[in-house]
Amino acid sequence: MKFVRRIEAIAGKGLDGDRYALGTGSYSKSKGIREVTLIEIEALWNFFRVSGIDLHPGLTRRNIVTEGIQLSDLVGSSFSIGPVSFLGLRPCPPCRHLAKLIGMPEVLDGLAHSGGIYAQVLSGGPIRIDDPVILDASLTTVNYEN
């Protein structure tokens, strides 16, 4: 994982250069489900407050770190980040694979209900670090199974 100030989102694939857009992610067989992951910086602050563990956002292996928006509100809805449209699919709790990769089993319980969300890229384009996350006015409700 690396920090970037700008990234290109590709409709139906994910983020340019990301392991899931390239088909090399651990769970790449699940097409469309793992195109983009988002997590709230506030969840990481809370994790630190409760556990005392300073979890760097890159260690969560989420693609986009947000601030000031409740990501659970985006599940089942369309939203945009800058010019890019997304569909919020489902919660993205940390898994054992992540806990093992980063050597922190504490994340399993500590972020179980605040590990972020999965989203699908509906229309591509550039995403920049300061682009706002905006819930679309026309809400789209979906039921998404694993």
Side-chain angles (χ1 to χ4, degrees):
M1 302 298 290
K2 66 179 183 177
F3 172 83
V4 296
R5 299 186 82 64
R6 181 191 180 283
I7 190 90
E8 192 73 21
I10 305 164
K13 284 193 126 327
L15 302 178
D16 187 34
D18 181 63
R19 63 195 184 278
Y20 287 102
L22 297 171
T24 60
S26 298
Y27 304 100
S28 286
K29 292 179 183 175
S30 306
K31 297 288 182 197
I33 295 174
R34 300 171 194 279
E35 289 181 8
V36 176
T37 54
L38 300 93
I39 192 166
E40 302 165 19
I41 192 69
E42 294 88 349
L44 302 181
W45 294 337
N46 189 58
F47 180 72
F48 174 71
R49 187 177 53 77
V50 171
S51 70
I53 298 171
D54 190 6
L55 182 61
H56 184 277
L59 288 178
T60 67
R61 300 181 60 82
R62 303 301 188 249
N63 300 118
I64 298 173
V65 180
T66 65
E67 183 177 0
I69 188 160
Q70 185 77 35
L71 292 176
S72 60
D73 293 345
L74 303 179
V75 173
S77 300
S78 57
F79 64 96
S80 60
I81 303 176
V84 180
S85 295
F86 295 89
L87 178 62
L89 298 176
R90 64 184 176 90
C92 181
C95 64
R96 285 186 177 87
H97 180 66
L98 170 67
K100 184 177 177 181
L101 278 176
I102 66 173
M104 287 187 196
E106 300 88 350
V107 300
L108 293 173
D109 289 332
L111 294 176
H113 301 290
S114 58
I117 66 168
Y118 293 106
Q120 184 176 24
V121 182
L122 300 177
S123 68
I127 299 173
R128 291 176 179 81
I129 193 167
D130 291 327
D131 284 343
V133 179
I134 299 171
L135 181 63
D136 291 346
S138 58
L139 300 179
T140 306
T141 302
V142 294
N143 290 321
Y144 205 87
E145 297 296 321
N146 291 347

